[in-house]
């Protein structure tokens, strides 16, 4: 009915005029609204709890021979407070003004706990498990970076994965996730040169370059000598020395910082670093095999093992999901009591045996699995 | 100081206030980041806090990750808008938040700031949705007055220049320095990157330096010795 749908539209996100209304609110106003809503919700919840607690108390009082009297109450944790006093958790004013203090404080409840930093051996599988739909993208990044590459080349290597599987994460975001998990590392330019050549050689190469370039000597050649470790005092001394030397347009200090002739620090474009898969990342790639994951699914679904192979066989020439679902619709092994064929397709895709390229098709690993099944 | 030197000082002050205002006005974008990277970072200003802040900035800007714009936007949203903070704690860049008993925006300080802007023939652009006591706007006001002072000096209008400098001195001590110290202490609590921490340190140190400069030029509101002795007696 047009009238009712129009009514719904006005309250739905993306409804006509919604964008304009949203734009009118500043970020601060939106934040204030959200905080107010959160506080309202908490206050409502606490009021309900307080009412329930009061009811329980009154029931207990009725049943007790000598009911306790006086304004002092005891909270569940044993702390005492007075009605409407500064510590009364049932006074909404206390909670709104002081979310982080008092018996009724809720700040502690709202603060998300910091997730502990996992070791790469745990973090990498966890990332892949969380990003099931984008495993291929992540693997493409790791495979591309087995040999250190600049960002542009990594992006180029991952680009084909985006053709048939739209990923909401950009290659930059994927690299960041992998780096956070410990599967990927960014090598600064100095680290790259230090890794590739002997440090002495690097210095000889640099001698031929014009002054003002970043130097890769013993102070800057390692990650330990990152700019973050520059001491203020030596820098200032070096700046004063450099300022005296008016002939040089720019000077470099032992820390790799660059000064102009007036002793000001200046930033120069630094050559881009490289992305490289870490040892843990490599171990993960080597350890991971579509065949093994496929076998894992078979073990978990021992009663319907053949269906996995049959779906593979059916997709040999490429099938749409509708065709697969129709083909297996009457299969007694599938259905509400186990799972449907679409679930098999999903598991096969996650293990790397199937891939969608406008139709569901076999990957090389899928073809190999199917061939071994037929031989056996 | 000659008129020319004073003009240069005013120009330099206007630039500095403009830079600081831009930092808090909105998130860093590609253009601004590019401009920052072209900056020259002094190391011998004679003020250790300013030198240290510049060095911190230099270290940060020298090696930025490819996601630096996003990372800085996250820091900005967390620290200055309060995004992601369910307990509503943040370093809100509003004078009212730091100077009112309630810790809310749009309090007395905002009304005062608005009155001062209007007395100078200035008003907030209606496109700017934040209140008038936002740090970016207060710094922008100082920039505008520094610029006007430079023009007055160029026109050899000493009375006007003196009046403008006195207004700046009063605004600095009555408003900006009234709360930026507390704000600068809060910023590191809500930011992960050193960028906004360095800028907050720089802003505070520069404001304090500028107060001394203005006191030299037009005298302080209260004699410095008296203020010091008052402070000692209070202790």
């Amino acid at each position: 009915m047009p009238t009712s749908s129009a009514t719904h539209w006005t309250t739905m996100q993306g409804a006509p005029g919604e964008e304009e209304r949203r734009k009118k609110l500043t970020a601060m106003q939106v934040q204030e609204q959200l905080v107010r809503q959160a506080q309202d919700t908490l206050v409502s919840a606490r009021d309900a709890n307080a009412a329930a607690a009061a009811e329980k108390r009154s029931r207990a009082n009725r049943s007790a021979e000598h009911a306790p009297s006086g304004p002092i109450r005891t909270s569940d944790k044993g702390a005492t407070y007075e009605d409407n006093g500064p510590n009364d958790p049932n006074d909404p004013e206390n909670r709104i003004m002081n979310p982080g203090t008092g018996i009724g404080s809720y700040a502690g409840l709202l603060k998300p706990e910091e997730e502990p930093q996992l070791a790469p051996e745990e973090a990498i599988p966890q990332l892949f498990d969380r990003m099931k739909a984008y495993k291929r993208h992540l693997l493409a990044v790791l495979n591309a970076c087995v040999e250190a590459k600049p960002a542009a080349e990594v992006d180029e290597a991952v680009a084909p994965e985006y053709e048939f599987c739209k990923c909401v994460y950009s290659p930059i975001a994927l690299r960041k996730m992998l780096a956070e998990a410990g599967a990927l590392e960014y090598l600064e330019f100095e680290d790259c040169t230090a890794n590739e050549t002997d440090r002495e050689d690097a210095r000889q190469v640099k001698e031929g370059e014009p002054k003002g370039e970043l130097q890769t000597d013993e102070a800057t050649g390692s990650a330990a000598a990152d700019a973050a470790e520059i001491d203020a005092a030596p820098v200032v001394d070096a700046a004063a020395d450099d300022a005296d030397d008016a002939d040089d347009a720019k000077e470099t200090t032992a820390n790799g910082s660059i000064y102009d002739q007036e002793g000001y620090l200046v930033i120069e474009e630094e050559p881009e670093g490289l992305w490289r898969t870490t040892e843990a990342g490599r171990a993960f790639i080597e350890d991971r095999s579509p065949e093994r994951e496929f076998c894992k699914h078979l073990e978990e679904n021992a009663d319907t093992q053949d269906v996995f192979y049959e779906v593979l066989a059916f997709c040999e020439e490429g099938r749409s999901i509708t065709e697969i679902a129709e083909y297996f619709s009457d299969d007694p092994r599938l259905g509400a009591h186990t799972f449907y064929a679409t679930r098999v397709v999903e598991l096969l895709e996650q293990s790397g045996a199937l891939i969608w390229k406008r139709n569901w098709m076999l990957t090389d690993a899928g073809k190999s699995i199917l061939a071994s099944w037929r031989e056996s | 100081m000659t008129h020319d030197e004073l003009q240069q000082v005013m120009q330099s002050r206007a630039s500095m206030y403009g830079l600081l205002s831009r930092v808090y006005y909105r998130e860093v974008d590609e253009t601004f980041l590019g401009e920052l990277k072209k900056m020259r970072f002094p190391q011998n200003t004679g003020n250790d806090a300013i030198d240290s802040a510049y060095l911190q900035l230099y270290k940060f800007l020298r090696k930025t990750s490819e996601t630096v714009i996003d990372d800085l936007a996250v820091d900005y949203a967390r620290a200055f808008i309060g995004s992601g903070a369910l307990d509503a704690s943040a370093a809100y860049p509003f004078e009212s938040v730091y100077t009112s008993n309630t810790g809310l925006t749009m309090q007395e300080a905002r009304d005062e700031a608005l009155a001062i802007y209007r007395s100078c023939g200035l008003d907030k652009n209606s496109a700017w949705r934040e209140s008038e006591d936002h740090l970016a706007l207060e710094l922008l006001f100082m920039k505008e007055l520094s610029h006007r002072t430079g023009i007055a000096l160029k026109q050899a209008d000493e009375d006007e220049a003196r009046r403008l400098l006195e207004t700046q001195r009063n605004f600095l001590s009555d408003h900006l320095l009234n709360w930026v110290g507390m704000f600068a202490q809060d910023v590191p609590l809500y930011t992960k990157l050193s960028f906004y921490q360095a800028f907050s340190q720089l802003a505070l140190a520069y404001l304090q330096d500028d107060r001394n400069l203005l006191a030299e030029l037009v005298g302080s509101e209260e004699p410095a010795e008296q203020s010091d002795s008052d402070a000692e007696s209070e202790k």
Side-chain angles (χ1 to χ4, degrees):
Chain A
M1 292 190 295
T3 316
S4 65
S5 68
T7 313
H8 280 293
W9 261 106
T10 56
T11 56
M12 286 171 65
Q13 197 172 20
E18 178 68 15
E19 281 302 311
E20 281 70 23
R21 277 199 297 281
R22 279 175 159 273
K23 279 177 193 168
K24 284 179 186 170
L25 291 176
T26 61
M28 190 69 192
Q29 286 169 324
V30 171
Q31 178 62 22
E32 280 173 3
Q33 274 187 3
L34 289 172
V35 169
R36 210 172 298 125
Q37 283 168 10
Q39 286 177 337
D40 288 348
T41 310
L42 281 160
V43 169
S44 308
R46 283 190 181 273
D47 286 349
N49 287 342
E55 176 65 24
K56 193 178 170 186
R57 265 197 309 274
S58 72
R59 254 189 268 127
N61 289 346
R62 275 199 300 273
S63 62
E65 284 183 9
H66 302 288
S69 60
I72 303 295
R73 295 186 199 160
T74 306
S75 73
D76 292 341
K77 290 176 184 173
T80 57
Y81 58 86
E82 290 179 19
D83 276 338
N84 299 322
N87 293 327
D88 182 0
N90 300 320
D91 184 356
E93 189 70 11
N94 289 341
R95 295 191 295 271
I96 290 170
M97 298 304 294
N98 282 314
T101 58
I103 295 170
S105 68
Y106 56 80
L109 302 171
L110 296 175
K111 276 181 188 161
E113 285 178 15
E114 288 277 326
E115 284 186 22
Q117 184 73 32
L118 293 175
E121 290 71 23
E122 286 179 68
I124 300 169
Q126 197 182 74
L127 173 67
F128 274 76
D129 199 40
R130 214 172 55 220
M131 301 274 286
K132 284 193 183 85
Y134 306 126
K135 269 184 182 177
R136 294 183 65 84
H137 300 73
L138 292 170
L139 281 171
V141 175
L142 290 185
N143 283 322
C145 296
V146 169
E147 282 184 19
K149 280 189 178 59
E153 282 182 35
V154 182
D155 293 355
E156 205 175 309
V158 190
E161 299 300 333
Y162 283 80
E163 189 180 353
F164 295 107
C165 181
K166 300 295 178 201
C167 179
V168 294
Y169 301 101
S170 68
I172 294 175
L174 295 179
R175 284 202 296 276
K176 195 175 177 185
M177 284 180 216
L178 286 165
E180 279 171 5
L184 202 64
E185 61 185 343
Y186 182 72
L187 303 172
E188 299 286 354
F189 175 72
E190 295 94 336
D191 297 336
C192 302
T193 49
N195 286 340
E196 283 168 9
T197 59
D198 187 51
R199 196 166 286 176
E200 269 315 302
D201 294 343
R203 193 176 295 137
Q204 284 171 14
V205 169
K206 285 284 165 188
E207 277 175 4
E209 294 185 2
K211 273 190 171 183
E213 292 293 321
L214 286 173
Q215 62 182 44
T216 56
D217 60 10
E218 63 271 18
T220 56
S222 69
D226 190 87
E229 292 186 1
I230 299 171
D231 288 326
V235 166
V236 173
D237 292 341
D241 293 339
D242 291 346
D244 294 339
D245 192 355
D247 295 336
D248 292 335
K250 286 165 188 169
E251 285 290 338
T252 58
T253 70
N255 289 309
S257 307
I258 304 169
Y259 293 88
D260 64 8
Q261 57 186 7
E262 291 168 16
Y264 287 72
L265 282 164
V266 290
I267 296 171
E268 286 217 338
E269 279 298 315
E270 201 172 337
E272 190 189 352
L274 303 175
W275 288 94
R276 187 177 65 183
T277 305
T278 60
E279 285 301 321
R282 284 181 204 195
F284 179 80
I285 302 173
E286 283 161 17
D287 190 45
R288 187 192 167 277
S289 104
E291 286 81 2
R292 198 175 301 140
E293 286 195 30
F294 179 79
C295 290
K296 195 178 133 199
H297 291 314
L298 291 187
E299 283 168 21
E300 286 170 2
N301 304 285
D303 298 340
T304 50
Q305 278 189 0
D306 287 347
V307 177
F308 284 79
Y309 290 109
E310 286 167 26
V311 170
L312 281 181
F314 186 65
C315 293
E316 217 171 355
E317 292 171 10
R319 301 283 183 179
S320 71
I321 195 71
T322 317
E323 286 176 316
I324 299 168
E326 279 177 6
Y327 186 78
F328 290 95
S329 61
D330 297 329
D331 195 313
R333 294 165 297 177
L334 300 176
H337 59 290
T338 51
F339 41 72
Y340 292 94
T342 47
R343 171 68 177 155
V344 180
V345 171
E346 189 188 352
L347 293 174
L348 288 171
E349 186 204 9
Q350 282 173 18
S351 63
L354 273 185
I355 187 170
W356 189 84
K357 289 185 174 177
R358 302 199 194 289
N359 271 330
W360 287 102
M361 309 172 93
L362 298 188
T363 60
D364 289 342
K367 285 175 190 168
S368 149
I369 291 167
L370 189 61
S372 350
W373 178 61
R374 281 177 175 155
E375 280 171 19
S376 65
Chain B
M1 255 191 254
T2 63
H3 266 214
D4 285 349
E5 283 172 342
L6 261 179
Q7 270 183 57
Q8 278 180 8
V9 168
M10 292 306 138
Q11 200 177 343
S12 154
R13 287 179 68 236
S15 304
M16 189 64 185
Y17 276 117
L19 168 69
L20 293 173
S21 172
R22 169 61 189 87
V23 170
Y24 300 103
Y25 170 61
R26 59 183 154 88
E27 294 88 340
V28 174
D29 54 23
E30 286 284 356
T31 317
F32 185 44
L33 187 68
E35 284 171 7
L36 286 174
K37 286 192 170 188
K38 285 178 197 159
M39 259 176 68
R40 298 157 79 230
F41 301 85
Q43 282 299 287
N44 289 308
T45 59
N47 183 323
D48 288 346
I50 291 180
D51 289 350
S52 152
Y54 273 129
L55 186 64
Q56 215 178 330
L57 266 179
Y58 170 75
K59 285 178 192 170
F60 177 83
L61 292 167
R62 196 174 151 219
K63 289 185 179 176
T64 51
S65 69
E66 56 186 346
T67 56
V68 65
I69 300 282
D70 287 346
D71 295 341
L72 284 174
V74 169
D75 255 10
Y76 185 95
R78 174 67 191 91
F80 307 135
I81 302 174
S83 290
L86 292 173
D87 58 354
S89 58
Y92 294 111
F94 297 95
E95 187 181 344
S96 290
V97 171
Y98 282 91
T99 55
S100 65
N101 291 332
T102 51
L104 297 173
T105 57
M106 303 295 276
Q107 302 299 300
E108 202 177 331
R110 177 258 174 190
D111 299 340
E112 284 176 13
L114 177 62
I116 295 169
Y117 299 160
R118 287 186 175 163
S119 72
C120 294
L122 294 164
D123 211 342
K124 185 170 70 88
N125 187 331
S126 59
W128 171 260
R129 297 284 178 181
E130 306 298 348
S131 60
E132 285 78 0
D133 59 347
H134 192 284
L135 180 56
L137 216 58
E138 292 198 350
L139 292 167
L140 202 61
F141 175 70
M142 290 295 287
K143 181 205 167 181
E144 175 59 25
L145 291 202
S146 304
H147 179 63
R148 285 185 186 184
T149 313
I151 294 172
L153 288 168
K154 199 175 180 181
Q155 293 167 349
D157 187 350
E158 281 191 20
D159 290 343
E160 175 65 3
R162 184 173 185 84
R163 194 188 63 77
L164 286 166
L165 286 172
E166 281 172 355
T167 310
Q168 291 170 63
R169 178 200 63 194
N170 296 344
F171 187 77
L172 196 57
S173 59
D174 294 348
H175 289 274
L176 278 163
L177 281 171
N178 207 17
W179 66 285
V180 170
M182 290 181 277
F183 169 77
Q185 279 185 343
D186 276 355
V187 169
L189 303 177
Y190 302 105
T191 50
K192 282 186 180 169
L193 305 176
S194 57
F195 180 82
Y196 287 111
Q197 297 171 17
F199 261 115
S200 300
Q201 186 187 334
L202 179 63
L204 177 62
Y206 184 77
L207 292 177
Q208 287 167 340
D209 231 22
D210 200 41
R211 174 182 54 189
N212 296 339
L213 173 73
L214 292 174
E216 273 181 37
L217 293 175
V218 289
S220 54
E221 277 182 293
E222 292 173 33
E225 288 176 10
Q226 193 187 329
S227 312
D228 291 342
S229 62
D230 285 349
E232 280 177 13
S233 65
E234 278 175 18
K235 281 177 191 175

